[in-house]
Amino acid sequence: MRIKRIFAATAALTALVTTAACDGGGKDDGRAAPASTNSTGSAGPDTGPPSAGSLAEAQQYVQRHTSCEQLSTDPADKRMPSQDPAKPGTWSVTERGVCSDQRERGQIVLYRTSDMKEFQAGYKKHVSDAIDGGKGDYGLFSRVFVGKDFAVVPRRTETAMALAKSGLRILTCNPTFGVPKGYKREKALVEHCVLSDFVNSQDGKGSVNHQSPEEEGRERGESARPKEGRKPENSLGLAEAGSLTELKKLVTSELGCEQFSTDPETVAVSSIDYLPAIEGDHKMWGVGERGMCGYPGGERRAHDLSWLDKVDDMITFQTKAKAAQLKELRENGGRYRATRSMVLVGKNVAVETNSASARHGLYQAQFLHLNCREGFTAPEGYRFEKALVNGCVLTNYEGS
């Protein structure tokens, strides 16, 4: 699957992934402070996600941080989102209400849940389905704040900035999202999602990300990001491992690598459905150790094949990978074969896989796709770094 780019207008499809594109006048500098409350009751140390026994209690919690007036549970209320996948009876939602942030002139949708893990799983599937349908940016600018048993979705970026200073955390399940340094990053209840206090926004009113090429450029007075990407020495960080065994442990949850082999004959296996990126002697690619996850065949057709590489010479590896990519494009009408494994690299490791779902998890584990297509660039919000060889970049964006 090749992920397609979408624009901010598509975010209006559902309240759960709104980008708060309306105008407003937020003044916050973006650094989210630790929460000063531990429940919907009295103030105190942050001892975990806040809880609410009713929508009224959830409203009271929100009101500590921003305006939330005229709470209504009437489905006919015009403030209710017209297209909302999280209605009562779905995703373990037991109650849904809406209130008005009169200060910022926006709406806030509140949800009570009987099972927060089920709620997060429902949201993750909703985002994944949209991405699989070609909407690659879906959920990247999430406004889904979650607590222990309730969730809050503000319409306005300014409202989100106020809530980011509470004990609630933003649930983001777009696999290309990474929490910048300086912000809280916590594990969600479902895999490949993350909780943070970083408000990702396209309107310029969200949290400040001093790690992004765009922010750095603006601080230096530049009008645009470098076309060749961020320089390697200024990378936001890449995955690394001291051995092939360590690499396997690092990626097992993403690749489902229960079946693993380093036997040269087994590793050299490929099938019509699973073509490796490396062809020939892997030593010539600068790879010291190479292994394969998956089932190479036998009684059943080969399935779930991916290759792991402990790279000793990353410049040689990227040079060879670039040549292989350009050859593939020439021989296949300017396209990559769907069964050809994409190369995701770290600092001294690489993974070859044609599984889109596996790549989603690997991007969150700080792997980046080596893309050597001429003229390729990535939209704002995605990582876009210069590779070690000219004409290639490292990115977590898979559009063309």
Side-chain angles (χ1 to χ4, degrees):
M1 176 195 74
R2 181 166 292 173
I3 296 176
K4 303 293 184 183
R5 180 182 180 184
I6 62 171
F7 296 92
T10 62
L13 289 173
T14 171
L16 290 177
V17 289
T18 182
T19 60
C22 300
D23 56 358
K27 302 293 185 182
D28 207 303
D29 69 356
R31 290 289 181 190
S36 58
T37 58
N38 56 13
S39 70
T40 58
S42 60
D46 184 4
T47 58
S51 176
S54 65
L55 281 183
E57 287 189 13
Q59 177 192 26
Q60 291 171 10
Y61 183 85
V62 171
Q63 285 176 327
R64 293 209 198 116
H65 304 280
T66 190
S67 170
C68 180
E69 312 304 327
Q70 300 172 336
L71 178 66
S72 171
T73 59
D74 184 357
D77 192 308
K78 293 182 179 180
R79 296 174 298 167
M80 285 285 192
S82 58
Q83 299 183 45
D84 188 351
K87 298 179 177 67
T90 63
W91 299 8
S92 84
V93 173
T94 58
E95 296 179 273
R96 180 183 66 163
V98 63
C99 66
S100 295
D101 184 345
Q102 296 178 346
R103 185 184 309 157
E104 302 298 348
R105 300 179 183 179
Q107 290 77 47
I108 305 172
V109 183
L110 300 92
Y111 305 86
R112 276 266 299 142
T113 70
S114 59
D115 186 334
M116 179 52 71
K117 184 174 182 179
E118 183 178 338
F119 180 89
Q120 293 186 18
Y123 177 66
K124 175 189 174 182
K125 184 178 186 305
H126 181 69
V127 173
S128 297
D129 288 347
I131 292 173
D132 290 344
K135 300 172 183 177
D137 288 352
Y138 209 74
L140 187 61
F141 304 96
S142 173
R143 293 290 182 273
V144 183
F145 286 81
V146 298
K148 183 177 182 179
D149 50 20
F150 72 102
V152 178
V153 182
R155 169 66 176 161
R156 305 279 292 175
T157 303
E158 294 89 343
T159 308
M161 291 295 294
L163 291 173
K165 298 174 183 177
S166 73
L168 298 169
R169 294 288 180 263
I170 302 172
L171 173 67
T172 306
C173 296
N174 186 300
T176 64
F177 174 74
V179 181
K181 291 180 181 177
Y183 292 90
K184 294 181 175 67
R185 183 184 190 280
E186 300 169 7
K187 191 172 182 178
L189 297 177
V190 292
E191 287 188 345
H192 303 156
C193 295
V194 66
L195 302 177
S196 75
D197 59 352
F198 176 76
V199 178
N200 198 22
S201 177
Q202 289 181 312
D203 60 12
K205 299 170 185 174
S207 301
V208 175
N209 179 4
H210 292 291
Q211 289 184 273
S212 76
E214 292 77 23
E215 289 289 350
E216 285 189 350
R218 280 194 285 267
E219 289 174 359
R220 292 193 298 266
E222 298 173 2
S223 59
R225 71 193 297 178
K227 292 183 178 180
E228 72 279 3
R230 177 188 291 261
K231 295 179 179 179
E233 59 267 26
N234 295 324
S235 170
L236 303 186
L238 294 172
E240 59 182 311
S243 66
L244 191 62
T245 301
E246 288 185 14
L247 174 59
K248 177 180 177 293
K249 291 180 181 179
L250 184 64
V251 303
T252 290
S253 61
E254 282 73 31
L255 298 178
C257 200
E258 292 84 7
Q259 181 73 20
F260 180 72
S261 177
T262 57
D263 173 66
E265 291 187 6
T266 303
V267 174
V269 167
S270 64
S271 78
I272 190 172
D273 301 311
Y274 299 92
L275 298 174
I278 287 182
E279 296 180 329
D281 184 1
H282 64 268
K283 298 288 186 182
M284 300 300 294
W285 286 61
V287 173
E289 298 179 274
R290 191 163 191 252
M292 185 180 72
C293 295
Y295 303 84
E299 294 183 2
R300 292 182 57 193
R301 188 170 178 170
H303 59 284
D304 300 330
L305 302 186
S306 297
W307 289 264
L308 310 185
D309 306 305
K310 175 61 178 67
V311 182
D312 295 337
D313 185 342
M314 185 56 76
I315 293 179
T316 296
F317 181 86
Q318 293 188 16
T319 300
K320 295 282 285 187
K322 175 185 177 181
Q325 282 190 27
L326 297 180
K327 178 183 177 184
E328 178 90 358
L329 293 172
R330 287 194 305 269
E331 295 179 349
N332 201 41
R335 299 172 62 89
Y336 297 115
R337 291 176 178 84
T339 57
R340 177 70 70 187
S341 294
M342 294 177 64
V343 175
L344 274 63
V345 302
K347 187 174 181 181
N348 62 347
V349 290
V351 177
E352 309 160 48
T353 181
N354 65 7
S355 168
S357 62
R359 294 197 300 272
H360 291 171
L362 291 170
Y363 290 137
Q364 289 193 337
Q366 306 301 313
F367 285 85
L368 293 178
H369 168 46
L370 177 71
N371 191 315
C372 301
R373 185 188 290 272
E374 184 177 359
F376 170 83
T377 188
E380 284 196 19
Y382 290 90
R383 291 183 64 175
F384 184 66
E385 303 181 4
K386 186 175 176 61
L388 296 179
V389 294
N390 292 331
C392 299
V393 295
L394 304 180
T395 184
N396 55 6
Y397 177 66
E398 294 187 5
S400 54

